[in-house]
Amino acid sequence: MKENNIPKATAKRLPLYYRYLRILNDAGKAKVSSTELSEAVQVDSATIRRDFSYFGELGKRGYGYDVESLMQFFSKTLSDDEMTNVALVGVGNLGSALLKYKFHQSNSIRVSAAFDVNSDIVGRIVDGIPVYPMSDMEEQIEIQRIEIAILTVPASTAQDVVNNLVESGIKGILNFTPVRISAPSDVLIQNVDLTNELQTLIYFLHSDDRLNVSTEEKE
């Protein structure tokens, strides 16, 4: 992401817009309206227009958006026109699953190296990706010009690993551990807590159930 003066919520929606624009472009569609986008990505059209407004004049009211030019614009905005090498640290159950994922929605993101302490895994090629010992992390990050790391290590070692990643030159970390890690202000951290997301979903599900019960009781 090259623009850093837009709201975080807007930034999180940009890949969603870009992905659908690629689908439209592949289907040969030339124009798309904010209403059509809204129905496809399940984001209201007013929000879409506001998101787009942060980048200047991307379309004309009543005319819609040019699919190809808008797709190319977001490709550059999201750096999808450049190959980004990513490191994965921790090849356990979750790490192995992420290696299999291969980031199909983007042709520009590639996990090029994985790191682990397990001697049974180190030195092997897992789903096409070499697994290096932790002692090789700094060297490989420099050689492969890696700036982003995915963290799937045990919580007890997370902060130590982050410290080593920062020292190795990593500038962005996608943190799948339950620990809220700390890093210098110039290192971006995005936390993905699967347990928290599931508990939030359960809360809202049960809240809806309680709301329905309360409504029925009042009737």
Side-chain angles (χ1 to χ4, degrees):
M1 185 78 57
K2 295 172 182 176
E3 282 76 8
N4 53 18
N5 59 344
I6 65 173
K8 192 170 184 179
T10 294
K12 287 185 175 182
R13 287 189 288 267
L14 298 186
L16 184 63
Y17 301 147
Y18 175 55
R19 192 178 312 145
Y20 185 64
L21 287 165
R22 287 179 59 186
I23 292 173
L24 291 178
N25 187 67
D26 290 343
K29 190 171 178 64
K31 301 289 180 185
V32 64
S33 67
S34 57
T35 301
E36 290 175 290
L37 273 175
S38 173
E39 293 173 352
V41 302
Q42 297 297 299
V43 176
D44 67 88
S45 56
T47 298
I48 291 174
R49 288 192 295 270
R50 186 174 63 249
D51 287 346
F52 286 9
S53 70
Y54 289 107
F55 302 94
E57 194 68 36
L58 297 181
K60 295 181 180 179
R61 191 173 184 83
Y63 179 74
Y65 302 98
D66 183 90
V67 170
E68 184 177 4
S69 62
L70 193 59
M71 181 191 70
Q72 291 175 352
F73 173 81
F74 281 126
S75 175
K76 292 185 180 298
T77 301
L78 295 165
S79 296
D80 201 57
D81 55 343
E82 305 170 3
M83 177 59 71
T84 299
N85 286 335
V86 178
L88 184 137
V89 187
V91 192
N93 292 333
L94 178 56
S96 296
L98 290 173
L99 290 183
K100 292 179 185 297
Y101 178 60
K102 299 185 187 301
F103 298 92
H104 295 298
Q105 268 110 11
S106 174
N107 295 322
S108 65
I109 301 173
R110 177 180 65 185
V111 176
S112 61
F115 301 92
D116 204 276
V117 297
N118 187 346
S119 58
D120 293 334
I121 299 175
V122 168
R124 292 176 51 195
I125 304 293
V126 178
D127 290 291
I129 298 160
V131 181
Y132 299 94
M134 299 294 284
S135 58
D136 287 357
M137 190 163 63
E138 183 174 358
E139 178 185 17
Q140 288 301 322
I141 286 174
E142 181 179 359
I143 290 173
Q144 300 188 40
R145 298 181 180 179
I146 298 172
E147 292 187 326
I148 297 174
I150 300 172
L151 191 65
T152 56
V153 299
S156 59
T157 63
Q159 187 58 58
D160 287 339
V161 172
V162 167
N163 294 342
N164 290 336
L165 287 170
V166 172
E167 291 175 2
S168 300
I170 289 295
K171 296 300 181 183
I173 299 172
L174 187 62
N175 176 32
F176 277 91
T177 78
V179 178
R180 284 301 173 260
I181 55 179
S182 60
S185 59
D186 62 337
V187 177
L188 299 177
I189 298 173
Q190 188 162 328
N191 297 301
V192 182
D193 191 329
L194 299 178
T195 301
N196 182 65
E197 295 298 328
L198 184 57
Q199 288 177 332
T200 301
L201 177 62
I202 292 170
Y203 167 77
F204 282 117
L205 180 64
H206 289 175
S207 293
D208 288 343
D209 289 342
R210 287 195 293 270
L211 180 60
N212 291 334
V213 169
S214 298
T215 301
E216 291 171 1
E217 288 176 348
K218 288 180 182 179
E219 293 175 349

